[in-house]
Amino acid sequence: MNELLSKYLKVFRLIHEQRPGLLLYALFFSLTTVAIPYLILLMTTLVLNGLLAGDSFGRLLIKVLLVGSITLTCQIAQKFFETKRDAAYNEFNINLEKATTLKLLTISYFQLQDPEMRAAYQKAKEGTTYSGGFNQFIRSVLEDLLNATIALIIGIAAVVTLLWADGSKILPQPWEFLVNDWGFALVILLCVVTPIFLNLILTKKKNEIEKGLFEFYTNVNRQSGYLFNTIFDYQNGPALRLYRGNQLLYDEMIKQNNRFLKRSLEEDRKSSNLTDGGNALISLLLIPIFLLVAAKGYVGAIEVGSIFLYTGYFTQLVAALNQAFVAFAAGNMLLGFLDFYFDFLALDPQENGSLPVEKRNDNEYEIEFHNVSFKYPGAETYVLKDFNLKLMIGQRTAIVGRNGSGKTTFIKLLCRLYPVTEGRITLNGIEIDKYDLKEYQDILAVVFQDFKLFAFSVAENVAANRHFDSQRVTDALYIAGVKDRVATMPAGIESILYKELDDQGVEISGGEAQKIAIARAWYKDAPFVILDEPTSALDPFSEYEIYRRFDDLVEDKTSIYISHRMSSARFSDRIVVFENGRVVQDADHQTLVQRPGLYQELFNAQAQYYVEDLTDDQLATLFS
Ligand SMILES: Nc1ncnc2c1ncn2[C@@H]1O[C@H](COP(=O)(O)OP(=O)(O)OP(=O)(O)O)[C@@H](O)[C@H]1O
Ligand SMILES: [Mg+2]
């Protein structure tokens, strides 16, 4: 119970933090809403009793005007608070969206990839939509529970007054017990308590159904979301059409839809049978209550008009209790989803060191891996194992190795995108985690193997910023060999890429995109330049151009160049060969090409395709 209460409080705190005032507006709205039916009941009873007691017209008028104006004020206040509440709720939604987006952008890449976190996030998001979200939560908890509390207080007061009220007339047997104190209390108690028990059982059953249904819905949503997005994404169009994948996807979609329809129909039927049965039974219990009130009226314990008032109170009480149960059950289910937001927003941003990275004009930054081992979250095997490597200042290092040997993983560890499992990585002798993350990442300019550009302008992509230096952007595009292509675009460097955010956006080829990614790395002007397969999509001319301008691209910075193009090693001072997550060879090209080993094998294998009849020696001189 305590845990449940603290969960409720957590969600309320979150709502209050994101939009102070919202809960207050909602509370006042609920109070005014709940009060109106009682006021109307009261007014009718006053008029009835007044009429029966032979009140003067003037007296009746005063009564009506008094209660009427209170009711009207309540109604005006209700509308006022409703508008305020709705506006505040919209702001709350926007603020929550802002907060979650910011969190997604600032948690570590490691956490962002964590399948458990992703699943929980998706569940919370879908669950919120599915069950009405915070709006429904505020409504059910505040309005319905408040309604029930008020109804209960008034109900108890009504029972007590009725108990005290005795009449002079006598009821015929066997109905005497109805106005007898004990009989009256017992029947009333039974009538109020039975629906509570009944509801407890019903809601428990309904909750089980709902829970199962929700799990099912989220699964179906995730899968059909994937199917739909795959079909809708035009970039998938060619593969789908040429491999006749359309039928595959369509059939799967239909299968999903049918599964969804069948299950939801079944569950809906089960659920509404339960609700209908329960409601009918609860309504039936109103009969004995009415009988009690009528009996009190018959013996003259209450005025005739008050019969109306009391039956009204009790009808209200039964309905409110009923609603409160539904609300409580819905609230608990909602809690399961909403509570996640609280935990999500409380996630720590990536662990950040406090040391500033010393600004040095001489670029004297030295990074070293000491016995580093790493495995991906949830994976069994190590991708890097007892890995040692020192990157010498100003040195150009080429990294080669088979697919899956750990080259890209090595770069990601270097960039602090993942924490090492064992060992240490140091910058100028100090563990990289101790440095301020942003400052540390500022010293690295990386072209990732799976580089990504965004649907912003070319210049914004290159500068990774809304403010940019046009001249530097143009220089960067020149060095990456894409300046002329950008010049042909309608708005030059300010042309928007892709059509996601702008209908007029420019579509570019894979190679053109890769060149812009290279330009982005140059623009950053960082002491380390890291290029992971940066020319994989480039044509031979473009690749040659990049090689030719390599000096401009890398200048005197420390650089890492990962490539399967063995000839690229010629502009490296040092070649490091990866095999199964370890460094197996480390020397210059001249040395390695003459020494039996993986480098020689890789080199020869590739050279064969180009110049089949050259000897190894000839090949070696050709590429040296
Ligand atoms: N996000 C990930 N989660 C789990 N395992 C991964 C992940 N990324 C890579 N791996 C695994 O780590 C191993 C090394 O991958 P990595 O990308 O570092 O290789 P690589 O040397 O860059 O290969 P390539 O030459 O193909 O680019 C692979 O076998 C892969 O299965
Ligand atoms: Mg790779």
Side-chain angles (χ1 to χ4, degrees):
M1 196 62 203
N2 255 350
E3 197 191 336
L4 194 67
L5 191 70
S6 83
K7 277 188 170 185
Y8 268 93
L9 288 178
K10 253 161 85 173
V11 175
F12 277 129
R13 189 143 35 114
L14 173 70
I15 296 171
H16 175 70
E17 270 167 16
Q18 296 302 327
R19 178 58 175 90
L22 169 57
L23 287 173
L24 214 59
Y25 290 137
L27 186 70
F28 281 124
F29 170 76
S30 306
L31 273 175
T32 45
T33 312
V34 169
I36 292 170
Y38 287 106
L39 287 169
I40 294 175
L41 260 179
L42 185 66
M43 186 156 65
T44 326
T45 312
L46 281 177
V47 172
L48 259 176
N49 279 344
L51 277 175
L52 290 165
D55 273 1
S56 70
F57 186 69
R59 224 181 127 80
L60 272 180
L61 198 67
I62 291 174
K63 279 183 184 172
V64 171
L65 282 181
L66 193 71
V67 187
S69 50
I70 297 175
T71 316
L72 186 70
T73 317
C74 234
Q75 265 163 343
I76 294 171
Q78 184 206 27
K79 273 280 151 239
F80 171 79
F81 288 123
E82 187 179 26
T83 316
K84 283 277 187 198
R85 181 201 67 181
D86 290 350
Y89 186 68
N90 281 344
E91 276 175 52
F92 162 78
N93 263 342
I94 290 172
N95 290 347
L96 184 69
E97 178 93 18
K98 251 198 255 173
T100 42
T101 308
L102 203 63
K103 189 54 77 177
L104 279 178
L105 285 168
T106 48
I107 52 172
S108 71
Y109 177 62
F110 190 66
Q111 259 174 330
L112 185 68
Q113 257 199 21
D114 177 14
E116 239 172 72
M117 192 285 284
R118 296 184 75 82
Y121 183 81
Q122 206 179 0
K123 208 165 162 180
K125 220 172 158 97
E126 286 190 18
T128 308
T129 323
Y130 171 72
S131 48
F134 286 92
N135 199 5
Q136 187 56 39
F137 182 78
I138 296 171
R139 206 161 273 184
S140 51
V141 174
L142 279 186
E143 208 167 301
D144 296 343
L145 292 185
L146 193 76
N147 198 351
T149 315
I150 292 180
L152 207 61
I153 294 171
I154 294 182
I156 290 171
V159 172
V160 173
T161 3
L162 278 177
L163 259 176
W164 286 113
D166 289 322
S168 46
K169 266 175 85 177
I170 296 190
L171 271 179
Q173 281 301 344
W175 303 103
E176 177 76 44
F177 77 98
L178 284 176
V179 284
N180 159 299
D181 285 355
W182 285 110
F184 182 86
L186 194 73
V187 178
I188 273 279
L189 198 69
L190 271 178
C191 292
V192 177
V193 170
T194 319
I196 295 181
F197 274 112
L198 202 65
N199 258 318
L200 269 177
I201 300 165
L202 286 183
T203 15
K204 212 170 154 215
K205 276 225 153 81
K206 261 190 87 159
N207 261 3
E208 274 163 23
I209 297 181
E210 288 280 326
K211 228 171 149 186
L213 202 58
F214 173 73
E215 292 285 332
F216 172 74
Y217 280 155
T218 13
N219 247 335
V220 169
N221 271 356
R222 189 167 43 80
Q223 289 166 359
S224 50
Y226 167 76
L227 293 174
F228 176 78
N229 289 338
T230 311
I231 293 167
F232 192 64
D233 185 353
Y234 64 92
Q235 305 212 7
N236 292 328
L240 281 179
R241 277 156 185 75
L242 277 141
Y243 288 96
R244 300 199 183 204
N246 286 354
Q247 196 63 41
L248 184 74
L249 268 100
Y250 184 72
D251 289 348
E252 188 59 34
M253 194 104 177
I254 297 295
K255 210 168 86 188
Q256 293 275 1
N257 286 349
N258 289 343
R259 219 157 59 92
F260 171 77
L261 218 63
K262 191 164 161 259
R263 173 93 190 249
S264 60
L265 275 177
E266 268 171 27
E267 304 287 353
D268 272 357
R269 207 179 39 240
K270 265 197 240 164
S271 167
S272 62
N273 280 351
L274 276 178
T275 325
D276 295 348
N279 281 346
L281 262 172
I282 289 162
S283 304
L284 213 64
L285 286 169
L286 279 174
I287 296 176
I289 295 185
F290 280 24
L291 199 63
L292 278 182
V293 180
K296 284 276 180 184
Y298 180 83
V299 298
I302 51 172
E303 289 172 273
V304 176
S306 301
I307 296 182
F308 189 76
L309 184 71
Y310 285 115
T311 46
Y313 282 163
F314 288 125
T315 317
Q316 216 37 32
L317 176 65
V318 172
L321 284 180
N322 212 3
Q323 215 173 339
F325 266 99
V326 177
F328 189 62
N332 284 352
M333 181 159 138
L334 270 162
L335 260 193
F337 310 127
L338 304 188
D339 190 37
F340 169 82
Y341 281 95
F342 194 87
D343 295 340
F344 175 72
L345 291 176
L347 278 182
D348 287 328
Q350 176 156 11
E351 219 174 286
N352 198 0
S354 53
L355 272 186
V357 175
E358 195 189 349
K359 304 275 172 297
R360 305 182 66 118
N361 290 330
D362 56 6
N363 280 348
E364 298 255 324
Y365 298 101
E366 190 176 75
I367 292 185
E368 187 170 358
F369 280 57
H370 310 259
N371 281 321
V372 169
S373 295
F374 175 74
K375 49 182 168 187
Y376 280 99
E380 296 278 302
T381 49
Y382 282 97
V383 176
L384 293 187
K385 188 76 190 144
D386 297 327
F387 181 95
N388 288 292
L389 189 69
K390 186 172 182 174
L391 297 169
M392 305 295 185
I393 297 162
Q395 199 174 47
R396 295 180 181 183
T397 304
I399 294 180
V400 296
R402 282 184 231 265
N403 293 131
S405 56
K407 305 181 294 296
T408 301
T409 306
F410 158 72
I411 302 299
K412 290 194 168 152
L413 288 177
L414 178 64
C415 294
R416 274 169 77 178
L417 290 173
Y418 294 114
V420 298
T421 316
E422 286 150 38
R424 303 183 309 134
I425 306 174
T426 55
L427 168 69
N428 292 353
I430 297 172
E431 242 170 273
I432 56 174
D433 289 347
K434 299 219 159 54
Y435 290 103
D436 176 85
L437 180 69
K438 280 207 180 78
E439 287 199 18
Y440 175 78
Q441 288 178 337
D442 276 349
I443 66 167
L444 309 166
V446 191
V447 177
F448 285 104
Q449 189 171 19
D450 56 349
F451 66 91
K452 292 278 181 273
L453 297 183
F454 309 104
F456 297 113
S457 75
V458 175
E460 284 165 339
N461 266 290
V462 172
N465 199 312
R466 292 222 322 266
H467 308 287
F468 49 83
D469 173 343
S470 304
Q471 187 54 51
R472 269 184 64 73
V473 170
T474 313
D475 292 347
L477 294 171
Y478 168 74
I479 286 171
V482 68
K483 180 174 160 239
D484 292 346
R485 167 68 181 105
V486 174
T488 67
M489 294 179 185
I493 62 166
E494 306 217 22
S495 309
I496 305 289
L497 295 181
Y498 312 120
K499 302 211 190 297
E500 276 89 349
L501 298 183
D502 187 336
D503 293 347
Q504 304 299 315
V506 183
E507 292 290 344
I508 50 174
S509 75
E512 287 162 352
Q514 196 167 30
K515 289 176 194 175
I516 295 175
I518 295 174
R520 176 168 64 187
W522 183 84
Y523 187 97
K524 192 172 179 186
D525 191 23
F528 284 87
V529 179
I530 301 167
L531 309 163
D532 191 353
E533 286 283 332
T535 59
S536 58
L538 302 196
D539 66 58
F541 298 127
S542 304
E543 185 172 27
Y544 171 74
E545 281 297 305
I546 290 286
Y547 289 171
R548 207 167 61 84
R549 294 192 198 132
F550 200 75
D551 283 341
D552 293 332
L553 183 61
V554 171
E555 298 168 335
D556 55 355
K557 297 165 174 169
T558 308
S559 72
I560 299 174
Y561 192 100
I562 299 178
S563 181
H564 294 299
R565 192 62 56 90
M566 306 307 288
S567 58
S568 66
R570 68 184 151 184
F571 44 73
S572 308
D573 306 318
R574 169 191 186 192
I575 293 163
V576 176
V577 185
F578 277 41
E579 176 80 329
N580 294 329
R582 281 199 166 90
V583 174
V584 288
Q585 288 183 295
D586 182 355
D588 62 17
H589 168 75
Q590 283 299 349
T591 317
L592 288 181
V593 84
Q594 285 162 22
R595 194 184 287 169
L598 184 57
Y599 184 77
Q600 199 185 55
E601 285 170 38
L602 288 166
F603 189 87
N604 289 347
Q606 194 166 59
Q608 260 175 25
Y609 292 112
Y610 295 109
V611 260
E612 294 232 88
D613 18 289
L614 291 187
T615 63
D616 285 357
D617 284 349
Q618 283 171 317
L619 279 170
T621 40
L622 184 72
F623 286 99
S624 61

